[in-house]
Amino acid sequence: MTEPNCFTPGPLLAGRRAVVTGGAAGIGAAVARAFAAHGAHVLVADIEPMTQCTFDSSAGGSITRLEWDVRTACPDGLVEHRPDVLVNNVGHFVQPPHTFAANSPALWDELHEINFAHVLRLTHALLPGMTERRRGSIINLTTVEAHRAIPGHAVYSGYKAALTGFTRSLSAEIGPSGVRVNAIAPDLVETPQVPYEDIVPHEDRHLWPTWSPLCGPGQPDDVAGVALFLASDLSRFVTGGTIHVDGGTHATGGWFPRRSGGWTNRPRNP
Ligand SMILES: NC(=O)c1ccc[n+]([C@@H]2O[C@H](COP(=O)([O-])OP(=O)(O)OC[C@H]3O[C@@H](n4cnc5c(N)ncnc54)[C@H](O)[C@@H]3O)[C@@H](O)[C@H]2O)c1
């Protein structure tokens, strides 16, 4: 029986090493700050400089940025960092909604590169070190739309769903080597990619309770808390799964509260 040491107080990632792609802003930045506040040495790989990297450094953690476009070959610096934790966070729908019929193969390639191909490349590059050290946690950022439809973004949702399947099957292969892999499926999280402050006009904000049971929008720190759990020994018996961080939109599916009380899955005035 293992010691229940993960339930003692103290930093959850003391001395661990992590790589977070797209950690300069949004969800990735919140994850990097949370890991560093819990004692991890975090290497942020991003095309942009970090905008928000203030964190409580009393646990001895650090954040360093490596300039890297995830669509290109992995730099040696990522392997040399010897991470125990990898957060594959970069992902994007690339363009406003268009029907699949109006898409071009060039767009499919772009969506493949930004949502799926880099996850395979980086995971493949860092996994041997993790299995050799017999310790690792890989966290893939998918989306609620890997689990339900998003009209106008069929190819994006297809690649995010592929990431979910990759996560599940890889977990079976690498579990015996002491490495876990899980996914986080966000929705309604306020970031530069999804700036609800701009998207939702002030006069519509009272509608948030009709869009998600926990209202919204969620904040990047709401996702970072779950990533911290998945990176740490608190989740040592968790692999192959997806945690939905969406204020409840996946759970409620197409059900909406009525103004008059109760719920409907056939809204007349959506
Ligand atoms: N925000 C949400 O509500 C939401 C919903 C569903 C899924 N997600 C997923 O969560 C993840 C993070 O989303 P976000 O909203 O924080 O994104 P964001 O666009 O706000 O931030 C992404 C970060 O990645 C960096 N980046 C972009 N392209 C890059 C590249 N080619 N190479 C290196 N870095 C690059 C950006 O500079 C930025 O720092 C994504 O995979 C996204 O699909 C988010």
Side-chain angles (χ1 to χ4, degrees), residues 22 24-27 46-48 68-71 89-91 114 141-143 156 160 186-189 191-194:
I27 289 170
D46 204 298
I47 37 175
E48 300 290 341
W68 179 46
D69 183 332
V70 297
R71 295 166 296 184
N89 169 69
V90 169
I114 204 70
L141 268 291
T142 62
T143 174
Y156 164 78
K160 287 292 200 180
D187 187 21
L188 304 181
V189 179
T191 65
Q193 187 175 139
V194 201

Side-chain angles (χ1 to χ4, degrees), residues 186-210:
D187 187 21
L188 304 181
V189 179
E190 171 104 51
T191 65
Q193 187 175 139
V194 201
Y196 286 107
E197 193 68 25
D198 304 332
I199 296 170
V200 179
H202 197 76
E203 61 272 21
D204 286 347
R205 298 209 180 136
H206 68 283
L207 293 171
W208 272 110
T210 69

Side-chain angles (χ1 to χ4, degrees), residues 1-202:
M1 190 146 157
T2 50
E3 291 294 313
N5 57 1
C6 59
F7 301 113
T8 56
L12 292 169
L13 300 178
R16 305 273 174 102
R17 311 181 72 77
V19 166
V20 180
T21 67
I27 289 170
V31 169
R33 292 195 307 267
F35 286 7
H38 277 267
H41 299 291
V42 185
L43 186 59
V44 158
D46 204 298
I47 37 175
E48 300 290 341
M50 287 201 74
T51 49
Q52 324 141 338
C53 68
T54 315
F55 62 94
D56 179 345
S57 58
S58 56
S62 63
I63 300 180
T64 311
R65 174 181 162 262
L66 175 77
E67 184 176 345
W68 179 46
D69 183 332
V70 297
R71 295 166 296 184
T72 63
C74 297
D76 293 343
L78 292 173
V79 178
E80 286 159 8
H81 188 62
R82 297 170 58 82
D84 311 298
V85 182
L86 165 62
V87 183
N88 287 309
N89 169 69
V90 169
H92 208 289
F93 43 79
V94 173
Q95 66 166 33
H98 279 86
T99 62
F100 176 68
N103 278 184
S104 70
L107 176 68
W108 309 339
D109 289 347
E110 213 178 324
L111 287 162
H112 177 253
E113 279 302 315
I114 204 70
N115 291 295
F116 192 57
H118 67 90
V119 177
L120 304 187
R121 272 196 299 269
L122 186 54
T123 303
H124 197 257
L126 299 185
L127 195 51
M130 290 183 179
T131 53
E132 191 186 312
R133 296 186 289 278
R134 298 199 60 77
R135 184 165 83 169
S137 174
I138 301 167
I139 301 166
N140 296 326
L141 268 291
T142 62
T143 174
V144 69
E145 283 111 10
H147 303 266
R148 67 155 202 227
I150 176 168
H153 289 291
V155 178
Y156 164 78
S157 74
Y159 283 126
K160 287 292 200 180
L163 205 42
T164 310
F166 171 65
T167 301
R168 197 182 294 128
S169 295
L170 184 65
S171 72
E173 287 183 26
I174 65 179
S177 326
V179 183
R180 299 181 294 108
V181 53
N182 290 284
I184 297 177
D187 187 21
L188 304 181
V189 179
E190 171 104 51
T191 65
Q193 187 175 139
V194 201
Y196 286 107
E197 193 68 25
D198 304 332
I199 296 170
V200 179
H202 197 76

